[in-house]
Amino acid sequence: MAVKTEDLHQSPPTTINNPISNNGEVDDEPESEEDDIDEEEEDDEDEDEEESPAMAESNFGSVRAKMSKLANRLKSEPVNLRVHDVIIKGNIKTKDSVIEAEIMDDLKRASTLQEIFQAAAIANVKLRQLDIFDSVNFTLDSGPMELPGTANVVVEVVEAKSPLTGEIGVFTKPGARSWSLEGGLKLKNLLGYADVWDGSVSYGWDQTTEVSTGVSLPRIRHWPSPIFARASLLSQDWLKFSSYKEQAVGFGLGLISTRNHEMVYNLTWRTLTDPSQMAGESVRRQLGHSLLSSLKYTYKVDKRNSPLRPTQGYAYSFTTLLAGLNPDSRSARFLRQECDFRYALPLGFYRAALNLGVSAGLLFPWGRGFLDRPSSLPDRFFMGGNTSPVCALGGPSSVLGFKCRGLGPTEPRRQTRDKPDDDSTAGPERDAVGGDLAVSAFADLSFDLPLRVLKDAGIHGHIFASTGNLVKLTENEWRKFSTKNFMQSFRSTVGCGIIVPTNLFRMEVNYCHIVRQFDHDHGKTGVQFSFSSPL
């Protein structure tokens, strides 16, 4: 029996070349050698005889009837068959163990022909997701003669001709980055274990510079999920918003990475400085060095039909970060919890959909005297920025219409003789210090524009409303917390805009109207532009 399938996940196999009995059923045992000799002799005798058209049509009809009967049997009842062996071909650099780890479990559990087809389709997808093969084909062949009812699976792969790839882009990031230029290189399958080595550089104007390198492995021995390691050097300039600069040298190790679960350990040495000597009191108290040893776990489910323009489905995520796993008492010790819920409701006209979302986050220190201690400044929640909350999933999102770190608790900066407190030209100088409790929500109605050329290009409009608030709870501020005051102090904005998706970036042009803001908030009614990654 030989069944060859190409791209099983796209088109199920339909062609089967197999010894078939007169009643249309698959023979469990192959033909004997004597039968093969007799058939060869008969073929030799018939070579000189010309087959008549009537006989050829009759044979074709017989084969078609047998194949039709076999197809009906595959649909109506299982055909008992199990995998005897898996034969791998075409891998020059890739280790056999890497391919076997992705396909063996599913194929070995199959007990019928239908289950083998299904397992082969799943295995095909898994191999393609490694992103090291140009093509993957599966062929089903008959097993040993002494083991009837068995089959061999032949896996033929073609390794990628160009293992080195690169990309570059200019776009915005939520919160931490306004404009950024990012580029990266990837080297695939260097050691033959489907390993991916990458290096990236990100430069954000006046804010962020990051250089990082890492390696990821799809599977090590019997570990059930991919593992990755990454080293990075990060520099963030928050002088304009919070009067400090942050430099971090870190190492991250991914322990679990599946569709719904992710667990990462991070070890980071951070340094906060204030070159301007203008930071407020609470910022100055946190200047200097600190060690962050943390374990981060994320559980995420995304059933939306698109992460960029969802028109139906739901999504939610929960993220827990526990910091302070090292014995040094001077290291940052805190627990950070984030949750996010999204729902997209189709409306049935102009591809319109109503997206609703609510996010919340809580941060508090732990250890001796944690109620009196301040929380870690770089790990607090900050709000503001012009990134659409529809695309973000994982925590309190931005509130459109407000600048980066443009709402929430602030404190006055130090005043100098050159800039006295009553200097009207300089305006109020305050540092955004973030909050320990943050909540945000949004509603977004997206719809196709009436012009066909815009619809075909994916350009669409939306009407939105967003709101959010964050407060400080540490240093005994929780004693002053009031649910009523917290709900009454939400900032909010409404607006409309046009979204232009391209292969290089995703652009939003929004008009935002600030409905509510408070003293020291940085919100402005008007037009905002936003560029983000197309992924």
Side-chain angles (χ1 to χ4, degrees), residues 349-364:
F349 58 92
Y350 285 102
R351 204 185 167 201
L354 177 63
N355 279 270
L356 304 173
V358 59
S359 307
L362 179 64
L363 171 73
F364 59 90

Side-chain angles (χ1 to χ4, degrees), residues 18-20 27-36 39 145:
N18 186 71
I20 303 177
D27 293 338
D28 291 334
E29 296 184 355
E31 297 177 350
S32 64
E33 296 181 0
E34 296 179 1
D35 294 337
D36 293 339
E39 288 180 0
M145 298 175 58

Side-chain angles (χ1 to χ4, degrees), residues 46 75 89 151 201 427:
D46 294 340
K75 293 180 181 180
K89 296 181 179 181
V201 177

Side-chain angles (χ1 to χ4, degrees), residues 155-263:
V155 184
E156 295 184 74
V157 298
V158 177
E159 295 176 339
K161 296 180 180 179
S162 301
L164 183 64
T165 59
E167 59 182 9
I168 188 171
V170 179
F171 35 77
T172 62
K173 291 288 186 179
R177 302 174 185 178
S178 177
W179 285 76
S180 64
L181 171 65
E182 299 188 11
L185 291 174
K186 286 186 179 182
L187 181 60
K188 304 174 184 177
N189 210 22
L190 177 64
L191 304 178
Y193 292 97
D195 45 297
V196 178
W197 301 77
D198 71 281
S200 62
V201 177
S202 174
Y203 176 77
W205 280 266
D206 298 329
Q207 289 188 36
T208 303
T209 301
E210 181 179 5
V211 179
S212 64
T213 182
V215 58
S216 61
L217 298 172
R219 184 175 295 184
I220 297 180
R221 293 184 180 273
H222 299 291
W223 193 256
S225 65
I227 292 180
F228 69 88
R230 190 164 201 84
S232 62
L233 173 62
L234 174 67
S235 175
Q236 296 189 96
D237 186 350
W238 298 113
L239 286 174
K240 181 179 179 181
F241 308 100
S242 303
S243 294
Y244 73 88
K245 282 188 175 182
E246 177 186 0
Q247 290 185 343
V249 179
F251 172 78
L253 179 63
L255 304 175
I256 298 176
S257 180
T258 63
R259 184 175 182 179
N260 302 118
H261 304 272
E262 184 178 50
M263 181 177 290

Side-chain angles (χ1 to χ4, degrees), residues 75-92:
K75 293 180 181 180
S76 61
E77 61 177 296
V79 178
N80 294 329
L81 192 68
R82 61 183 179 85
V83 176
H84 171 262
D85 193 13
V86 176
I87 304 172
I88 301 173
K89 296 181 179 181
N91 55 320
I92 301 174

